Amino acid sequence: MRSFLFALSFLVLGTAAKAQIFPQVSIKTLDGQTVDASTIEHDGPVVVSFWATWCSPCKKELEALNEYYIDLQDETNVLVIAVSIDDPRTASTVGVEVNSRGWEYDVYLDTNSDLRRTMGVNNVPHTMVYNKSGELVYTSNKYNPGDEIHLMEVIREAAE
């Protein structure tokens, strides 16, 4: 019984270390595979950026974030997830956009906007930062050049 409780405590602690950020909603990868968003886990801070190919501020923010991403990953273990809300008519251009810009982070498609609606996103750009406990610590629905400096500070604090 004692070893069972010991093993159970590790299971509970292990589960608590990876907080669930996303609801159970289907999204797609750029190669068309369906993913249950609730299965996406990470043991560090997570940045979720809702964007669209027709949104110039969205692309500027993701471009700015990409410039710091590799160094920031090494420093903070951050995971950046870009969720395109392009509808089925424009979703085919998302992969082209991502490849032409060389974005290093994970990009998903939410063509039916289920994830967007479930997470309370009304417009883009909409960026959220979760700390390593899975708590929402920052949200923004605009981007101006230079805002990425503040976002980097938020990510560093979320990693502590």
Side-chain angles (χ1 to χ4, degrees):
M1 181 68 173
R2 191 177 207 182
S3 62
F4 172 75
L5 291 175
F6 185 71
L8 183 62
S9 68
F10 272 106
L11 179 64
V12 170
L13 290 174
T15 302
K18 293 185 178 185
Q20 185 173 352
I21 293 172
F22 294 103
Q24 188 172 2
V25 172
S26 293
I27 54 178
K28 292 198 178 230
T29 62
L30 289 180
D31 60 0
Q33 295 183 11
T34 301
V35 174
D36 177 351
S38 68
T39 64
I40 300 171
E41 295 179 335
H42 187 63
D43 59 356
V46 177
V47 176
V48 181
S49 179
F50 284 88
W51 70 288
T53 55
W54 43 261
C55 172
S56 180
C58 300
K59 293 187 285 188
K60 288 178 181 174
E61 180 179 44
L62 288 169
E63 194 72 24
L65 187 56
N66 194 53
E67 290 181 26
Y68 300 95
Y69 185 51
I70 299 299
D71 291 338
L72 206 56
Q73 254 188 329
D74 292 341
E75 180 184 349
T76 66
N77 188 31
V78 67
L79 173 67
V80 174
I81 297 173
V83 180
S84 166
I85 64 162
D86 284 81
D87 65 23
R89 292 174 297 165
T90 57
S92 62
T93 63
V94 173
V96 174
E97 187 81 34
V98 169
N99 290 334
S100 71
R101 294 180 181 271
W103 292 344
E104 299 286 334
Y105 29 80
D106 297 337
V107 178
Y108 293 94
L109 304 171
D110 183 30
T111 56
N112 56 11
S113 290
D114 287 342
L115 184 61
R116 179 185 65 79
R117 279 191 296 275
T118 305
M119 294 186 74
V121 173
N122 294 320
N123 58 358
V124 289
H126 194 116
T127 302
M128 304 169 184
V129 177
Y130 294 86
N131 65 18
K132 58 185 179 183
S133 299
E135 300 165 330
L136 180 63
V137 295
Y138 173 84
T139 186
S140 173
N141 61 0
K142 64 174 182 58
Y143 174 75
N144 292 307
D147 286 353
E148 68 276 9
I149 302 302
H150 177 64
L151 182 59
M152 299 307 126
E153 293 171 10
V154 170
I155 293 169
R156 287 183 180 103
E157 290 174 11
E160 295 176 359

